[in-house]
């Protein structure tokens, strides 16, 4: 928890600088700090070990047969993602997901948050526990939420078909996305 507090504080300070100056680099530094924390975390959160164990099970297959996983309540997208990364390992998959989610976060803040509120957006993401801290434990949900943030772009542009496609894609990682 101390590590989280240190990384979050640094990220927040960078976001504060991004809000107060004209330089674009501070928001990048803020999000990069979040990325580093998410990417290097180990055994962080209640679900971390179960995701790691599932990855090990999926990696043991030479050919993916979804029937082996359906009874466990795992969504197809998550199983395929694990299978895709089986040769590189669980930690590389974590780094990839960290990069993907923080890029989408950066893009979302940059696009929809006025500069003077960058600090608030980052603060709410990193210090409100049900955002970043719970989401990095609930990895499937984090992927689904990240895909939903992308879908929001299409909803704003009134491109409903693309919105629906992204929400359906998100549901391959967590079925609760169908409520969106």
């Amino acid at each position: 928890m101390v590590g989280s507090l240190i990384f979050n504080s640094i990220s927040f300070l960078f976001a504060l600088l991004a809000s107060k100056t004209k330089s674009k680099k501070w928001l990048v530094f803020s999000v990069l700090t979040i990325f580093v924390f998410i990417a290097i975390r180990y055994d962080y959160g209640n679900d971390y070990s179960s995701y790691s164990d599932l990855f090990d099970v999926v990696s043991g297959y030479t050919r993916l047969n979804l029937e082996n996983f359906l009874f466990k309540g795992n969504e197809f997208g998550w199983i395929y993602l694990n299978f895709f990364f089986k040769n590189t390992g669980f930690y590389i998959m974590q780094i990839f997901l960290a990069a993907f989610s923080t890029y989408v976060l950066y893009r979302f803040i940059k696009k929809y948050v006025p500069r003077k509120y960058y600090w608030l957006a980052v603060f709410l993401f990193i210090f409100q526990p049900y955002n970043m801290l719970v989401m990095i434990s609930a990895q499937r949900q984090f992927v689904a939420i990240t895909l939903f943030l992308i879908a929001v772009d299409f909803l704003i542009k009134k491109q409903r078909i693309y919105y629906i496609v992204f929400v359906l894609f998100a549901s391959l990682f967590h079925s609760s996305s169908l409520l969106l």
Side-chain angles (χ1 to χ4, degrees), residues 6-175:
I6 291 168
F7 274 95
N8 289 351
S9 297
I10 293 168
S11 176
F12 176 70
L13 289 174
F14 285 146
L16 201 55
L17 286 170
S19 295
K20 303 291 182 192
T21 66
K22 300 255 187 231
S23 178
K24 297 177 184 180
K25 68 181 176 184
W26 297 116
L27 183 61
V28 172
F29 290 157
S30 176
V31 174
L32 279 175
T33 305
I34 295 169
F35 162 74
V36 169
F37 175 72
I38 294 174
I40 67 170
R41 78 190 189 281
Y42 176 77
D43 201 19
Y44 193 91
N46 297 337
D47 297 342
Y48 187 91
S49 60
S50 61
Y51 283 118
S52 178
D53 293 344
L54 177 64
F55 183 88
D56 292 339
V57 169
V58 172
S59 296
Y61 285 84
T62 55
R63 205 180 101 235
L64 191 58
N65 185 357
L66 286 176
E67 293 170 4
N68 296 323
F69 298 99
L70 290 178
F71 68 91
K72 295 180 181 178
N74 294 296
E75 282 84 354
F76 298 131
W78 186 254
I79 298 300
Y80 277 115
L81 184 68
N82 281 256
F83 190 74
F84 179 78
F85 280 96
K86 78 177 202 161
N87 293 326
T88 56
F90 181 70
Y91 304 107
I92 299 299
M93 183 178 82
Q94 297 304 302
I95 292 168
F96 169 78
L97 290 175
F100 175 65
S101 61
T102 53
Y103 170 75
V104 172
L105 173 71
Y106 170 79
R107 190 175 150 271
F108 193 82
I109 291 172
K110 191 89 171 119
K111 198 169 190 178
Y112 297 112
V113 177
R115 176 184 293 276
K116 66 182 178 178
Y117 295 118
Y118 284 174
W119 68 272
L120 182 60
V122 170
F123 179 84
L124 291 174
F125 180 72
I126 60 179
F127 285 116
Q128 204 289 334
Y130 294 106
N131 291 330
M132 184 185 82
L133 295 179
V134 170
M135 289 298 105
I136 61 176
S137 177
Q139 296 175 35
R140 292 180 305 120
Q141 293 90 327
F142 200 23
V143 172
I145 290 168
T146 302
L147 291 169
F148 173 66
L149 288 179
I150 295 170
V152 166
D153 278 339
F154 295 112
L155 190 60
I156 289 171
K157 294 177 189 173
K158 298 186 183 345
Q159 296 175 328
R160 290 179 183 91
I161 298 297
Y162 291 117
Y163 170 80
I164 291 169
V165 167
F166 268 90
V167 166
L168 290 174
F169 187 54
S171 75
L172 295 177
F173 293 92
H174 203 275
S175 56

